[in-house]
Amino acid sequence: LLDYPPRLNAAEELLKHEGTAIANGWSYAELAERADAIAGALHIEPGARVLLHSPNTPEAIAAWLGILLAGGIVVATMPLLRAREIDKVVAKARVDKAVVARELAAEVNVKERLILEDLPTQGWFDACDTAADDVAIIAFTSGTTGEPKGCVHFHRDLLACCDTFAARVLDPQPSDVFSGSPPIAFTFGLGASLLFPLRFGAATAPTSPPQLLETLHTQRVTTLFTAPTAYRALLREPLPDSLHTCVSAGEPLPAGVSDAWLEKTGIRIVDGIGSTEMLHIFIASPASEAKAGSCGRPVPGYEARIVDDAMRTLPPGEVGRLAVRGPTGCRYLDDPRQTAYVRDGWNLTGDAFSMDADGYFWFQARTDDMIISAGYNISGFEVEAALLEHPSVKECAVVGVPDEQRGHVVKAWVVPAAPVEVGALQDFVKARIAPYKYPRRVEFLDALPRTPTGKVQRNVLRERG
Ligand code: 3SK
């Protein structure tokens, strides 16, 4: 199944189809011509690292493919990131060049910066003869400390996630139209809006969160990828009858939302768990086999087990650490945290899970300090660092607290140095880091709870809610 030839350029493979590639827009031949034109205009050596900073658009998809055709490595950043966050990625990935959507250009400080909209649209390029295990993308994930970690994936990995999760769980057809709210800079969105539709000769309807509902209707989307928060919001809206497959990831899907969606649309949402480290979803069951509230069984090609701290397998029903392995496993870019994530060849995802007697996996909690809110991974430490720059903040601690709409929200506990409005602190954070990370709840207190050794007791704050 995953026996790829030793020489492989994933972009070339993805473009080998006929028919419509971009819903209501370019054919595969037109997309290939755009991608070729961009590849030619990049003037890069094989292995060059190219930053791609753009919302989900047809042009961004052409650029992503063009970078790979030219033998480059795509380093895509989330469109909402601010300059200081992008700077960290640029430094860590040692980016050589950037391709940037005009509207976001001000945030990108890279010497050689090409504006996406100014790149040529016609041309021909002989795809670079890359190896299947040449690096194709470096996908950044926010670490618990706020220091982004780069996950390296090869050309063959890009096809492997299509040929495992998408092929075995979703059964895509060339007549399908894929769309989703996550940016292609997030590997969940990369699969949804680029890899999966193009691997199976289907069409993609690139969109962004505010336009999602309109896109579903105007492009007659059949296959939707988004996070539980968006599914909950879409429950209130009229939906097109074209939809037949819905995928949720990014945070656990509550059984109530899954059941309400089934009642409204007749579709059981495929709830998956994946990670940037593993590239895409590694546990998920086809809709016909789903159990509401569980993310299903390991995707064919992957293995998963529940382990204790000594990596011993725990029996069904017991809660432990989720360990997974498969064809797309984690390789961090020059990062010592590799050894904490990968043990004995198994990837430890940072989630506590249990497995039932039928082999279905049930999420219990995160085992690290990441806050998962509306599908976004947010480092509390990064939000703390932004808040601490405010002159009226003496001390603060940021935790995730349960929330009906977003699963969890970011809550800041602040010891003020001077009187300050909550709204002023929220705006201050939004101006410094990606706005989705701002603390939706802020509470003031006289002192942070600490252990005798002076460590902030975040668990106490989490329990206070
Ligand atoms: O958060 C997830 O479950 C996920 C799914 C697919 C790809 C990447 C991620 C982080």
Side-chain angles (χ1 to χ4, degrees), residues 13-56:
E13 290 300 311
L14 295 171
L15 286 165
K16 273 186 186 163
H17 302 282
E18 286 172 1
T20 304
I22 306 288
N24 252 339
W26 308 330
S27 65
Y28 272 91
E30 287 164 329
L31 177 60
E33 181 162 35
R34 298 257 181 170
D36 274 358
I38 294 173
L42 285 173
H43 301 294
I44 52 170
E45 293 295 320
R49 295 165 180 201
V50 183
L51 185 88
L52 176 60
H53 189 61
S54 169
N56 287 359

Side-chain angles (χ1 to χ4, degrees), residues 1-9 13 16 129-134 155-156 159 199:
L1 173 73
L2 303 178
D3 202 9
Y4 302 114
R7 309 303 301 179
L8 176 78
N9 187 309
E13 290 300 311
K16 273 186 186 163
D129 176 31
T130 45
D133 53 9
D134 277 345
H155 282 259
R156 67 172 150 77
L159 301 188
R199 178 65 170 158

Side-chain angles (χ1 to χ4, degrees), residues 2 10 18 46 70 107 182 186 197 204 216 234 287 289 294 376 394 410 436 453 463:
L2 303 178
E18 286 172 1
E107 303 288 339
F186 177 27
T204 177
L216 296 182
L234 288 172
E289 297 168 21
S294 162
Y376 290 109
K394 186 168 153 210
V410 175
Y436 63 80
T453 55
E463 277 158 26

